[in-house]
Every structure is written in C-alpha cells, then in structure tokens.
Amino acid sequence: MSTTLNVTEAKAKFSAVVERVSQGEEIIVTRMGHPVARITRYESAAASRRLGRFEGRIHLAEDFDDWPEDVARQLGVTD
C-alpha cells in the first residue's frame, strides 16, 4: 500500500512517516503535484553475500588472460 504526501506534509509529519514506513507502507512525496521521492522501509543486504564464498570451487585456465595476437592488436592491447 502506498500513500502520497506533499513535501510540506511529509516534513510536518516526519516522525509519523518514518513509523508508517517501518510498518511496511510506502510513501510517495510530491512537489507541486509531481512525485519526486519514494520512501520505503530499509532492507539490509542479504547475509549470504560474503567474499570468498566460492574459493577453491572455481578454477581458471592458466591462459585465461592471454589474448590471441590478432584480437589483442585490434583492441589496442599490444602494438
């Protein structure tokens, strides 16, 4: 569910807006009748995103970074 408030209303009722958003409501803020912002509840990053998750599971070929000579020349990687 979303509610629309103009900037003046949103400023005057900011604490209430934050409370409503924390309960899952979406607030659209308008200026002169045009939507300019959307306030939604903050969602933290997924806990499953961590560095090194696939360490030891993925192997790259020894020549992974080597370009074929003609392609390297066309891309300007070599002279």
Side-chain angles (χ1 to χ4, degrees), residues 5 12 15-16 18 25 29 35-36 44 46-47 53 63 75 77-78:
L5 298 173
S15 294
V18 170
E25 189 173 343
V29 180
V36 294
S44 62
R53 182 175 189 175
D63 64 348
L75 294 174
V77 177
T78 60

Side-chain angles (χ1 to χ4, degrees), residues 9-41:
E9 290 174 308
K11 284 171 52 176
K13 302 174 183 177
F14 187 70
S15 294
V17 167
V18 170
E19 181 59 34
R20 289 165 62 179
V21 167
S22 72
Q23 299 298 319
E25 189 173 343
E26 178 181 89
I27 307 289
I28 306 296
V29 180
T30 62
R31 179 184 298 142
M32 297 177 66
H34 300 286
V36 294
R38 176 178 46 206
I39 305 173
T40 60
R41 181 173 43 199

